[in-house]
Amino acid sequence: MLIYTAHAQMTLRERALSVEWVERAVQHPDRTEPDPDNPTVRRAFKRIPEAGNRIIRVVHRPQGTDILVITAFLDRGAKL
């Protein structure tokens, strides 16, 4: 189950990002990498056709049996 921080919820609203896009990125990423500042945090990248093939980056970490979504945004510089 995905849990969203207050920051992530605000970011999704402000940037008009779909929760479904976030779920897709976390569950079926095109690419993942560790966060360089925190080894417990992962970055998931997923191309989103509905967003003009832009790439969403979802920053998340495990929280018990759940996944805590820290933030998400369309990453202009991301490569797959």
Side-chain angles (χ1 to χ4, degrees):
M1 180 173 164
L2 297 183
I3 301 169
Y4 295 83
T5 64
H7 172 77
Q9 292 173 23
M10 180 184 66
T11 300
L12 293 178
R13 274 192 313 275
E14 289 178 349
R15 298 177 181 172
L17 301 176
S18 166
V19 170
E20 192 274 330
W21 298 351
V22 172
E23 292 172 355
R24 202 180 326 164
V26 171
Q27 294 169 355
H28 304 286
D30 291 328
R31 178 171 70 89
T32 65
E33 64 185 34
D35 185 276
D37 298 322
N38 185 338
T40 67
V41 174
R42 301 283 306 165
R43 298 173 175 179
F45 298 86
K46 182 76 175 175
R47 185 174 308 279
I48 305 296
E50 307 93 285
N53 277 327
R54 293 179 67 193
I55 298 167
I56 193 170
R57 179 195 300 193
V58 180
V59 180
H60 61 90
R61 68 173 172 80
Q63 183 165 317
T65 59
D66 298 320
I67 296 174
L68 179 67
V69 176
I70 300 165
T71 194
F73 56 93
L74 294 174
D75 190 340
R76 292 186 175 130
K79 304 274 190 253
L80 294 180

